[in-house]
Amino acid sequence: MKKKIRFDFFLLVEASSGPVRTVGIAERLDRRIEQTREARTIIHKGVGSRLARLKKLGNLRIGDFIRFNLDQPAMVAGKHIDERAVTTREDEGMAIPAAFLYDAGSNVLVYQRAKGAISTTDAFRHLFIGCESNLPLFDPILKPDVENTLKKMERPRKLEIRAHVLGMNPQDAQAASTRKFIEAARDAGTRWLTIELSVGRKRHSTLDSTGVLAMAKDWMFQRREGRLVDRLKLHADFPPEDKINTLDLLDASLVSDQYIEPTRDVEEYYHRRAEAAHKAWDEHRHRF
């Protein structure tokens, strides 16, 4: 049975200037992979991570980031065997890879969603050591139908957000408003944060379209990074023929599901996931 791999799509945006332009990611990836394995590895609180592989193909960079735990046993088990340690060395742990594809021409990143893998933000922090303030923002690319609906939006009137914020780090948020909300919830000692931005009942009142969508996208990104966000709804005025006044944005971001044949060979596993990332890119490259 083939294994499903899901990829998310992001537009990389300069955090300081706002406009989309080249942020030197390809060059940073090229320099990083030339370093020794030890130099590429970061270990923090018992968890190691690094850029493991990279293939150059014109404007494309296709590779793998890995994450491995050093503070727990690395074990295997089977139907007919008990658990046993794969290694007892303190500098080794079970590795979880995440495939990615980056296109320098469009600044689009395709990143594998894998449980236990290194997060998108943490992976790319590897490229900005010593200049973390230059780390780009990861702007979730929307599904075509959602994007088309938003283009016809006339007046955004209310945004609803509900998220589980216990243990959430405000610094992991991309938008200043999101950080402030998380900080306020943490200071209050609450587990759940509910946000409702509304213009009230005045007929022609409206929220700022750009600001509302930016906030919604940041919570989309939080959900993609593994945080529990269970409500993300935008209430707005749309053309009558659309027959809607509420847009559910929980699953509005673009994804691509690819399928690969299982294999126990490490090199083959890498190549199959790299090919899957490329196929995901080919499916949607016409939009960029």
Side-chain angles (χ1 to χ4, degrees):
M1 181 180 295
K2 289 188 176 182
K3 175 183 176 64
K4 183 174 80 171
I5 300 178
R6 172 161 289 187
F7 293 93
D8 295 280
F9 291 73
F10 304 98
L11 189 63
L12 301 193
V13 182
E14 285 276 353
S16 57
S17 59
V20 177
R21 58 188 177 89
T22 302
V23 293
I25 296 294
E27 294 80 2
R28 290 175 183 272
L29 285 166
D30 293 345
R31 290 198 300 267
R32 190 70 172 168
I33 201 64
E34 292 299 325
Q35 296 176 333
T36 65
R37 180 176 59 247
E38 290 75 14
R40 281 182 276 125
T41 302
I42 296 175
I43 297 177
H44 179 64
K45 294 183 178 179
V47 177
S49 58
R50 68 170 168 261
L51 173 63
R53 302 168 188 268
L54 187 70
K55 178 182 178 181
K56 305 176 188 178
L57 193 62
N59 277 339
L60 301 181
R61 299 294 186 272
I62 307 172
D64 249 321
F65 283 100
I66 64 166
R67 179 180 186 273
F68 51 96
N69 293 319
L70 300 177
D71 58 356
Q72 63 187 46
M75 298 185 297
V76 294
K79 183 177 180 181
H80 302 295
I81 61 171
D82 291 330
E83 303 83 2
R84 62 180 174 84
V86 179
T87 177
T88 57
R89 290 182 49 153
E90 292 185 357
D91 61 346
E92 292 181 340
M94 296 296 290
I96 302 174
F100 71 90
L101 178 148
Y102 171 71
D103 175 49
S106 62
N107 260 358
V108 170
L109 171 69
V110 183
Y111 198 87
Q112 181 186 353
R113 187 186 302 186
K115 187 175 181 180
I118 185 172
S119 70
T120 316
T121 306
D122 285 345
F124 279 78
R125 281 199 180 106
H126 280 254
L127 310 181
F128 290 86
I129 296 173
C131 54
E132 287 80 2
S133 61
N134 293 331
L135 184 72
L137 301 181
F138 299 87
D139 187 17
I141 294 173
L142 301 178
K143 294 176 180 177
D145 58 333
V146 175
E147 197 170 69
N148 291 334
T149 300
L150 286 170
K151 286 178 180 177
K152 295 184 288 183
M153 181 174 65
E154 295 171 353
R155 281 185 296 274
R157 304 182 66 82
K158 184 168 68 173
L159 178 65
E160 294 181 81
I161 303 165
R162 186 173 185 265
H164 190 273
V165 295
L166 187 67
M168 189 180 289
N169 186 349
Q171 298 308 312
D172 289 337
Q174 299 193 116
S177 59
T178 306
R179 285 194 293 272
K180 290 178 180 177
F181 281 124
I182 296 172
E183 286 171 353
R186 185 180 63 178
D187 292 344
T190 184
R191 292 174 177 267
W192 287 91
L193 171 66
T194 301
I195 304 169
E196 182 177 302
L197 305 180
S198 176
V199 296
R201 298 186 179 184
K202 291 184 178 180
R203 181 175 177 79
H204 297 293
S205 298
T206 180
L207 297 171
D208 177 72
S209 299
T210 303
V212 164
L213 188 55
M215 180 180 288
K217 280 190 167 186
D218 198 18
W219 286 100
M220 287 182 205
F221 182 68
Q222 295 300 318
R223 188 167 189 255
R224 160 60 184 86
E225 294 288 84
R227 282 83 184 190
L228 178 55
V229 180
D230 68 354
R231 185 186 305 158
L232 189 55
K233 293 184 178 181
L234 177 60
H235 304 263
D237 293 340
F238 295 93
E241 59 269 21
D242 284 1
K243 298 180 180 178
I244 61 169
N245 54 26
T246 301
L247 195 57
D248 193 332
L249 297 175
L250 267 185
D251 297 305
S253 56
L254 181 66
V255 298
S256 175
D257 290 334
Q258 300 295 323
Y259 296 84
I260 65 171
E261 292 287 350
T263 178
R264 301 300 295 271
D265 184 88
V266 173
E267 289 298 320
E268 185 61 27
Y269 185 53
Y270 164 70
H271 287 299
R272 290 180 187 181
R273 290 182 306 106
E275 288 180 358
H278 206 162
K279 287 180 181 178
W281 165 249
D282 284 339
E283 278 183 2
H284 298 283
R285 63 186 301 179
H286 64 279
R287 293 186 59 197
F288 316 120

